[in-house]
Amino acid sequence: MRLKALVAMIRAARSRLEIDRTEPHWPQVAAEIKRRIHAGTYAPGERPPGTVALAAEFDVSQSTASRALASLRPEGLMYVVSGRGYFVAERT
């Protein structure tokens, strides 16, 4: 069930975001993840799609996807659990 939901979400998102290839990619991916967090697509305590899924969705490298996720940590939108990955932080 989780995989089907992820595939549906990726397909829907592809129609919403076109990466501007003339600008750095990671801030654009980070902005879309941030938008999804604020919209409730990714709930607090939930794992967002991993770097492989994000890279495939946005047609960027895995390191770009990883940098996008990492950039949201200082903003308090994500936290990392060692060995498990990124999670959406609780809203304050």
Side-chain angles (χ1 to χ4, degrees):
M1 181 67 183
R2 181 168 161 80
L3 181 59
K4 286 182 182 179
L6 178 61
V7 169
M9 183 175 58
I10 288 171
R11 286 183 182 149
R14 279 188 175 157
S15 65
R16 282 186 286 211
L17 180 71
E18 281 292 322
I19 296 291
D20 179 355
R21 300 296 174 182
T22 64
E23 297 292 326
H25 302 160
W26 70 266
Q28 296 175 70
V29 174
E32 178 61 16
I33 295 167
K34 187 176 185 177
R35 187 195 66 74
R36 292 177 186 178
I37 290 170
H38 290 301
T41 305
Y42 305 145
E46 182 180 279
R47 286 186 66 187
T51 56
V52 173
L54 289 171
E57 177 181 345
F58 297 112
D59 192 26
V60 296
S61 70
Q62 289 181 41
S63 62
T64 297
S66 179
R67 187 169 180 189
L69 288 171
S71 74
L72 298 174
R73 286 181 69 193
E75 295 182 40
L77 295 172
M78 294 284 202
Y79 64 93
V80 174
V81 175
S82 183
R84 298 214 44 226
Y86 286 92
F87 289 82
V88 178
E90 297 291 327
R91 296 180 199 161
T92 56

